[in-house]
Amino acid sequence: MDEREKNFEQLQEIAIREGASLIGVADIKNIKKTFHPLIIKIADSLPYAISIVVKLSDAIINDIKDSPTLIYKHHYKAVNYRLDQIALAVCKKIDSLGYSSVPIPSSQMVDWEKQLGHLSHRLVAREAGLGYIGRSTLFITPQYGARVRLVTILTNLPLPTGNPLEGSCKKCNECISLCPAEAITEAGYEREKCIIKLKEFSKIRGIGVSICGVCVKACKGTETLDE
């Protein structure tokens, strides 16, 4: 086992112990241009991006019909918090090895108008080889479909990187037919329609955040991944 693999094994052990479902590493050179300007300077000296995945509860996702439920809202926030805690634990280990790391919040908006964070956790996870991005723009894993949440750590710790996983939605149209915003079509994803619907849902009593969950429930990602 070389140094990179040994480093990864140590981080993976911590992440899984803290509640992670999957972990992978991406070389950021192909996606750095997509990062928000606020994070570019930090990323200049941190060439690796660790992607950590936590699976969502099937029972909670299956309970969603045409709008987010209160229990989904709580679960969504709880999983985001857990992801951030996992990232902190992994960063603590990286720091102890004498390297630098920056945990990127799992769910923090830096551009409210466009609903964007510091970087796309989905792009990082794709580059790390953990899954692909579907027509709904959800991140889809072969193990759990789209029922996942993500967090990213930037670091300069030498690590083995994955390769983008090729996959497609093929002929599956479940998210198209069920999307309450009609934002997903054969031609592509209409972000503005989705944002408008998310703002509408956020006004539901007790919700207060921009979530939906309908397409997450609809996605049959595990059946559409290319071999």
Side-chain angles (χ1 to χ4, degrees):
M1 182 183 297
D2 67 18
E3 180 190 7
R4 292 172 183 267
E5 292 173 340
K6 183 179 179 181
N7 290 339
F8 178 76
E9 189 175 85
Q10 292 183 78
L11 301 188
Q12 182 180 49
E13 181 181 351
I14 292 169
I16 297 300
R17 184 175 68 236
E18 294 292 322
S21 303
L22 300 170
I23 179 173
V25 183
D27 185 323
I28 70 169
K29 66 176 180 294
N30 293 326
I31 57 173
K32 186 179 174 183
K33 61 181 179 294
T34 69
F35 290 8
H36 192 278
L38 289 172
I39 205 72
I40 288 292
K41 186 175 181 180
I42 292 176
D44 283 343
S45 60
L46 305 174
Y48 302 104
I50 302 168
S51 178
I52 297 172
V53 176
V54 168
K55 180 185 178 296
L56 294 168
S57 164
D58 286 324
I60 290 174
I61 298 299
N62 289 338
D63 185 53
I64 296 172
K65 294 180 174 61
D66 56 5
S67 62
T69 62
L70 292 177
I71 193 70
Y72 173 60
K73 176 265 184 88
H74 177 79
H75 185 54
Y76 174 92
K77 295 185 70 174
V79 171
N80 287 340
Y81 178 78
R82 171 47 50 190
L83 282 162
D84 289 337
Q85 294 304 301
I86 296 170
L88 287 174
V90 171
C91 286
K92 183 177 180 181
K93 179 61 179 179
I94 293 172
D95 292 347
S96 76
L97 294 173
Y99 291 86
S100 299
S101 61
V102 175
I104 307 300
S106 62
S107 184
Q108 182 184 49
M109 295 292 180
V110 296
D111 185 331
W112 284 95
E113 183 178 344
K114 296 180 180 179
Q115 298 279 295
L116 297 175
H118 288 94
L119 51 72
S120 170
H121 296 301
R122 290 168 293 179
L123 285 179
V124 172
R126 185 191 69 187
E127 290 294 308
L130 298 180
Y132 68 99
I133 298 174
R135 63 164 51 93
S136 63
T137 73
L138 291 175
F139 183 72
I140 302 169
T141 68
Q143 297 91 340
Y144 313 117
R147 299 179 175 201
V148 295
R149 295 289 298 161
L150 311 166
V151 74
T152 301
I153 298 167
L154 299 180
T155 185
N156 59 358
L157 175 69
L159 293 165
T161 57
N163 297 308
L165 191 61
E166 295 300 324
S168 72
C169 297
K170 297 182 179 178
K171 296 181 180 179
C172 178
N173 293 318
E174 289 296 311
C175 62
I176 293 177
S177 61
L178 294 176
C179 177
E182 298 183 349
I184 310 167
T185 68
E186 289 278 4
Y189 168 72
E190 297 182 55
R191 185 178 182 83
E192 288 304 314
K193 285 186 177 181
C194 181
I195 291 175
I196 290 171
K197 181 58 69 172
L198 290 177
K199 289 179 179 179
E200 179 184 317
F201 284 154
S202 71
K203 296 176 183 178
I204 296 174
R205 186 174 184 180
I207 298 298
V209 293
S210 296
I211 58 172
C212 175
V214 176
C215 55
V216 174
K217 177 183 178 180
C219 182
K220 302 294 192 297
T222 52
E223 299 175 6
T224 60
L225 187 71
D226 290 342
E227 296 295 329

